[in-house]
Amino acid sequence: AAAKSTPEKPKNDTVRVLDTRRAYNIEIFLGRLKMDPWTLREALLSMSETKLSLDTVHKLINFVPTKEEAAQLNGYENEKNLGVAENFVKIVRTVDTSLVERLKLWAFKIEFADIYSEQQASL
């Protein structure tokens, strides 16, 4: 029993800097997305509709890191034990300083053909 009281490096040595609820919500979103943050980053940079659906783009708007969240990860660039959400923020924060606007424009681009057809039909 004495050996157990000496803590070995547990798996819980994960570095967490984000708000717990926010991190939890990001982790759930990423779990449903089934895409690692680097692949997601590439899809965001290329604005690839084959990789991200309109629904996903809309949901992603809610998970774009705030400036404060991005700043919280300064200095953790080489940290190997970041939490899932923290790693996501660290990677995605480098995509674009106006990522929310990028996502909104991307959503509009995806929806444009449908909007155009509806408007044309109503004339």
Side-chain angles (χ1 to χ4, degrees), residues 40-85:
L40 177 59
R41 181 180 184 277
E42 290 306 311
L44 290 170
L45 287 170
S46 66
M47 294 176 77
S48 170
E49 280 114 51
T50 57
K51 296 212 188 320
L52 295 175
S53 68
L54 176 61
D55 185 49
T56 303
V57 171
H58 279 298
K59 287 177 182 165
L60 197 51
I61 290 170
N62 299 319
F63 298 103
V64 170
T66 64
K67 286 183 174 142
E68 293 78 21
E69 289 169 337
Q72 284 178 304
L73 280 138
N74 288 341
Y76 288 98
E77 285 76 15
N78 297 317
E79 178 61 54
K80 300 284 184 252
N81 293 328
L82 282 177
V84 173

Side-chain angles (χ1 to χ4, degrees), residues 57-122:
V57 171
H58 279 298
K59 287 177 182 165
L60 197 51
I61 290 170
N62 299 319
F63 298 103
V64 170
T66 64
K67 286 183 174 142
E68 293 78 21
E69 289 169 337
Q72 284 178 304
L73 280 138
N74 288 341
Y76 288 98
E77 285 76 15
N78 297 317
E79 178 61 54
K80 300 284 184 252
N81 293 328
L82 282 177
V84 173
E86 284 76 6
N87 195 46
F88 164 79
V89 170
K90 181 185 83 171
I91 294 167
V92 171
R93 71 183 180 158
T94 62
V95 172
D96 191 339
T97 55
S98 304
L99 187 53
V100 171
E101 288 77 13
R102 175 188 278 253
L103 289 168
K104 287 178 180 175
L105 286 170
W106 187 7
F108 177 73
K109 176 186 168 225
I110 296 170
E111 295 172 306
F112 183 78
D114 292 338
I115 294 169
Y116 182 77
S117 297
E118 287 172 18
Q119 292 303 314
Q120 206 171 21
S122 69

